[in-house]
Amino acid sequence: GNIMATYKHASGKRLHFIHIPRTGGRFIDKNLLVNGFKQEHSTQGTIEGSDIIHLHRELYEKHLDVKGIPHIAIIRNPIDRFISSSIFLKRMYGDIQEAMEDPIMFSTMIQNFPLPDEYTTPSWLRPQSDFLTEDTHVWKFEDGFYDDFDVWMSNILEIPFKTRNIEYKKLETDETDKLERTDKLVANIQQFCKKDIETFYPELI
């Protein structure tokens, strides 16, 4: 039995929502549910060491039944996303501002993030391009979730879609304790997220 981070509408319409961490995914998930979409299976647990809810392209293409259905992903300015993700780095390592400003230390800490053996880069640090295919419909977090987002979703799904401002479950990690945005840190993030920036945020170069 496949486990899928896929959704099915009452009408039978299916959708694959690619949940890239730190891009508002829990908010979108809640909105899919209120718009009549249901998750087809449980998203608890892991596949090949990755959280089912955050599978990147290589794993969802291998394990999920997603061929021929619309794929949707929210992407976010890679620098903002990395700094947002840094709550996890700080929780693991403590005060690492100075280390993360050093290019060699930055790479080393990301490569050696202390995870169980089967993990590679944790999903919240993985570049966003690792999650996407050429066919993925991509929306930018910065464009907000208003009327134009609803029109975009409705067109892709061929079902009227209306975003509501609903509460979603917050993380248990302190979301305020993140790295400080300094020029040195930003330069390292730009290098690490080079492909994302060139593809989606060329204005950051």
Side-chain angles (χ1 to χ4, degrees), residues 20 25 35 47 84 116 124 130 151-152 158 181 190 194:
I20 302 173
N35 277 278
I47 289 180
S84 169
W124 37 266
D130 285 1
V151 169
W152 182 80
E158 300 168 354
R181 182 187 296 253
Q190 279 174 317
K194 205 171 168 193

Side-chain angles (χ1 to χ4, degrees), residues 12-193:
K13 188 96 188 161
R14 295 178 66 231
L15 150 81
H16 178 41
F17 171 49
I18 301 163
H19 180 179
I20 302 173
R22 315 307 296 164
T23 62
R26 282 163 295 160
F27 174 74
I28 299 298
D29 172 63
K30 277 275 184 290
N31 269 292
L32 283 165
L33 301 177
V34 298
N35 277 278
F37 282 87
K38 286 197 169 71
Q39 281 183 344
E40 292 188 303
H41 292 268
S42 163
T43 53
Q44 298 303 306
T46 61
I47 289 180
E48 293 190 37
S50 279
D51 290 329
I52 288 168
I53 201 160
H54 296 142
L55 294 181
H56 52 284
R57 181 182 61 241
E58 185 192 338
L59 294 184
Y60 68 67
E61 287 188 336
K62 184 170 162 187
H63 295 282
L64 307 190
D65 171 23
V66 295
K67 275 206 171 44
I69 62 172
H71 290 34
I72 286 170
I74 312 298
I75 59 167
R76 184 175 180 184
N77 172 319
I79 292 155
D80 294 343
R81 175 178 175 249
F82 189 96
I83 287 172
S84 169
S85 296
S86 70
I87 58 173
F88 303 111
L89 287 165
K90 287 196 76 175
R91 185 176 69 182
M92 183 66 80
Y93 286 129
D95 183 18
I96 49 166
Q97 185 73 35
E98 206 173 315
M100 293 300 280
E101 289 181 357
D102 175 275
I104 292 166
M105 283 299 292
F106 178 96
S107 304
T108 305
M109 290 175 84
I110 285 175
Q111 281 160 10
N112 298 318
F113 192 81
L115 286 167
D117 293 343
E118 72 271 19
Y119 274 89
T120 50
T121 313
S123 58
W124 37 266
L125 284 177
R126 241 180 208 288
Q128 298 173 85
S129 9
D130 285 1
F131 291 86
L132 308 172
T133 69
E134 286 162 20
D135 300 323
T136 308
H137 299 277
V138 171
W139 183 265
K140 289 186 173 174
F141 182 84
E142 294 75 26
D143 292 335
F145 303 106
Y146 307 108
D147 293 351
D148 46 355
F149 177 71
D150 292 345
V151 169
W152 182 80
M153 285 288 278
S154 304
N155 285 338
I156 293 167
L157 300 171
E158 300 168 354
I159 291 169
F161 190 91
K162 180 88 187 86
T163 309
R164 297 183 186 81
N165 192 12
I166 26 191
E167 281 299 304
Y168 56 87
K169 194 167 173 279
K170 295 284 192 258
L171 295 181
E172 281 150 34
T173 303
D174 174 6
E175 301 211 25
T176 57
D177 185 24
K178 31 188 190 233
L179 289 168
E180 195 186 323
R181 182 187 296 253
T182 59
D183 292 347
K184 285 179 173 172
L185 177 62
V186 166
N188 292 341
I189 299 169
Q190 279 174 317
Q191 194 50 44
F192 179 64
C193 299

